[in-house]
């Protein structure tokens, strides 16, 4: 996750959220990874714990990114 986050420095919120995800496009959350990232960034998805492959590490990073963006 840290390498993906380094690559996303300076990117949009959605891109940073995408970088924090497992990026398996498993659809367990009901979205592909890009769709989930976009939905969180837009505020249409509030649940930050839906990325099952990413587990607690991803949920924690998504929360951190949303707080940094002033959206939590």
């Amino acid at each position: 996750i840290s390498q993906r986050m380094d690559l996303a420095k300076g990117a949009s919120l959605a891109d940073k959220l995408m970088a924090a995800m497992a990026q398996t496009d498993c659809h367990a959350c009901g979205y592909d990874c890009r769709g989930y990232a976009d939905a969180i960034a837009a505020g249409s998805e509030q649940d930050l714990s839906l990325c099952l492959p990413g587990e607690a590490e991803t949920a924690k990073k998504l929360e951190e990114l949303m707080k940094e963006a002033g959206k939590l």
Side-chain angles (χ1 to χ4, degrees):
I1 200 169
S2 63
Q3 289 175 333
R4 291 192 309 268
M5 295 312 301
D6 284 342
L7 292 171
K9 284 184 181 171
S12 69
L13 175 59
D15 287 342
K16 289 177 184 176
L17 295 167
M18 172 76 177
M21 294 177 191
Q23 300 185 11
T24 61
D25 286 331
C26 68
H27 295 266
C29 65
Y31 304 89
D32 62 6
C33 295
R34 170 56 32 184
Y36 186 37
D38 289 343
I40 294 170
S44 59
E45 179 59 68
Q46 302 295 315
D47 192 340
L48 304 179
S49 66
L50 296 178
C51 183
L52 298 180
E55 301 177 334
E57 180 182 29
T58 291
K60 182 179 175 183
K61 181 56 84 172
L62 295 177
E63 183 178 342
E64 179 183 306
L65 291 167
M66 292 300 285
K67 284 180 179 176
E68 286 175 7
K71 294 193 173 206
L72 264 186

